[in-house]
Amino acid sequence: TGSNILSALQDLFWLLKSKAEKQLQIISVLQWVLTFLIMGITCTLILMYILCTDCWAIAALYLAWLVFDWNTPKKGGRRSQWVRNWAIWRYFRDYFPIRLVKTHNLLTTKNYIFGYHPHGIMGLGAFCNFSTEATGVSQKFPGIRPYLATLAGNFRMPILRDYLMSGGICPVNRDSIDYILSKNGSGNAIIIVVGGAAESLNCTPGKNSVTLKNRKGFVKLALRHGADLVPVYSFGENEVYKQVIFEEGTWGRWVQKKFQKHIGFAPCIFHGRGLFSSNTWGLLPYSKPITTVVGEPITIPKIDNPSQKDVDFYHSIYVDSLIKLFDKYKSKFGLPETEVLEVN
């Protein structure tokens, strides 16, 4: 009887622990989703409100610091290993789960540009793998400092900019990339989500397509700095949200493209699961596995002023390498052998 009671208590403890861990996973993902969607504008509004209260001096001091610190994001930011190693990111990883697969070693004597595909709705795999240590990027690629590049507009938002920089996130603009690849030594890897907002408009479960044919700026940057190109494909990135796709020529797609052109991002109509049930709609992504495979680096020569012919040549090599990477690992991560990567 005593052993039966002990066994029942152990089962109860395991059940409670399992439920607690699941709730922590949900909380960790929810805080990131809210950060992605509303943290920037919320912090801006709060700062403006404080300026109108008796505590205005606090907001004024922060604004003064903001002016002084304005160019820090363009110089590699201010990463914090403490923030990158927060336990919350491990719960974030386990919710899906997210996994990072290394296929080749990277030399610390070189710099790299990772092309991340596909964008998905929020780039959850890119964030977890390269802006946190949850999947062990520093252990798998020792001596390599990853910098995830995102919209420069995010770094104009108070508080949000500091939060992003703490994870090693930088603006995806020429000034920032030039600094990291030319004035920050070697062993740097800039992760660029090449398809950007245009690619996010077409992401939907069951579809593997990338926006890449006319995206050649990252290749030109690699040539100017002699940084090797590394194709990266994230299997499952498109599975975590469902999106309403507006076809070309519809009013919905016209609105999305106008936003993309003038603001830098495209508004998407999407949904995931609810907070308390996977059978309801909400902002939480579905808990589908995301596996990010880092491919073989492509050796790139340093050409100060690369011609269009040079850019086109290495771009074609990159596209071929990405397709080969996809074809090599697609069946291993749940896709049929007949699946073809669509390159737009």
Side-chain angles (χ1 to χ4, degrees):
T1 303
S3 63
N4 288 340
I5 293 173
L6 181 61
S7 177
L9 289 173
Q10 288 175 337
D11 289 343
L12 179 61
F13 174 76
W14 178 86
L15 182 62
L16 292 174
K17 183 180 178 182
S18 177
K19 285 186 175 181
E21 287 185 350
K22 188 61 180 177
Q23 293 304 314
L24 287 171
Q25 291 170 11
I26 289 173
I27 291 169
S28 68
V29 175
L30 180 62
Q31 69 84 25
W32 169 245
V33 171
L34 294 177
T35 295
F36 183 91
L37 294 176
I38 65 171
M39 184 177 178
I41 188 64
T42 300
C43 289
T44 302
L45 292 174
I46 290 174
L47 195 67
M48 291 172 62
Y49 171 76
I50 293 175
L51 279 171
C52 300
T53 69
D54 292 339
C55 299
W56 64 269
I58 296 174
L61 284 173
Y62 178 80
L63 289 173
W65 160 253
L66 194 62
V67 172
F68 175 78
D69 195 55
W70 190 253
N71 290 322
T72 298
K74 298 178 182 179
K75 298 180 179 180
R78 189 170 44 246
R79 74 174 55 217
S80 165
Q81 286 303 117
W82 175 65
V83 173
R84 287 175 61 89
N85 282 285
W86 277 352
I88 195 171
W89 306 131
R90 294 192 290 276
Y91 289 113
F92 183 99
R93 171 199 66 195
D94 293 340
Y95 172 84
F96 297 93
I98 295 174
R99 181 185 172 204
L100 180 65
V101 176
K102 169 186 174 181
T103 63
H104 291 78
N105 292 324
L106 299 181
L107 299 175
T108 58
T109 55
K110 305 203 72 172
N111 286 322
Y112 301 89
I113 293 179
F114 287 18
Y116 184 92
H117 313 269
H119 183 285
I121 295 293
M122 297 185 185
L124 294 163
F127 169 77
C128 185
N129 285 307
F130 302 112
S131 293
T132 80
E133 294 297 331
T135 55
V137 63
S138 293
Q139 286 72 43
K140 291 177 180 177
F141 300 102
I144 301 297
R145 292 181 299 276
Y147 294 87
L148 176 61
T150 188
L151 288 176
N154 289 324
F155 297 89
R156 301 186 187 103
M157 301 285 190
I159 309 301
L160 176 63
R161 67 188 293 277
D162 300 288
Y163 190 35
L164 295 178
M165 283 194 293
S166 67
I169 301 177
C170 68
V172 61
N173 58 31
R174 181 171 172 176
D175 289 343
S176 178
I177 294 172
D178 282 347
Y179 183 91
I180 292 171
L181 294 180
S182 63
K183 300 179 181 178
N184 202 41
S186 60
N188 302 294
I190 298 179
I191 298 87
I192 300 177
V193 186
V194 178
E199 190 172 85
S200 68
L201 298 179
N202 295 315
C203 70
T204 187
K207 186 173 184 179
N208 289 283
S209 66
V210 296
T211 301
L212 183 57
K213 281 184 179 178
N214 297 316
R215 299 294 176 106
K216 301 180 180 181
F218 73 105
V219 177
K220 189 173 184 178
L221 282 169
L223 286 165
R224 288 180 62 246
H225 294 284
D228 287 358
L229 288 171
V230 182
V232 180
Y233 197 85
S234 222
F235 294 90
E237 184 71 63
N238 284 346
E239 307 299 317
V240 296
Y241 279 110
K242 295 178 181 179
Q243 180 183 188
V244 177
I245 303 294
F246 294 101
E247 299 298 329
E248 291 292 340
T250 61
W251 68 269
R253 181 54 65 98
W254 180 84
V255 171
Q256 289 176 323
K257 286 189 171 181
K258 286 296 181 181
F259 266 84
Q260 178 191 336
K261 180 179 179 180
H262 297 292
I263 301 178
F265 74 92
C268 303
I269 299 177
F270 66 92
H271 73 84
R273 51 155 291 181
L275 183 59
F276 302 105
S277 171
S278 59
N279 296 321
T280 58
W281 289 9
L283 289 176
L284 276 177
Y286 293 103
S287 53
K288 304 287 186 178
I290 298 174
T291 305
T292 302
V293 184
V294 180
E296 182 179 4
I298 302 166
T299 302
I300 302 294
K302 188 178 187 303
I303 305 175
D304 291 334
N305 294 297
S307 66
Q308 190 59 49
K309 184 178 179 180
D310 294 325
V311 174
D312 291 342
F313 175 72
Y314 285 101
H315 181 267
S316 66
I317 293 176
Y318 178 86
V319 173
D320 290 341
S321 296
L322 179 64
I323 293 172
K324 288 177 182 177
L325 179 70
F326 178 84
D327 289 340
K328 182 177 180 179
Y329 289 95
K330 61 185 177 183
S331 59
K332 186 175 181 179
F333 300 120
L335 297 177
E337 282 291 345
T338 55
E339 185 72 19
V340 176
L341 178 63
E342 181 183 331
V343 180
N344 298 314

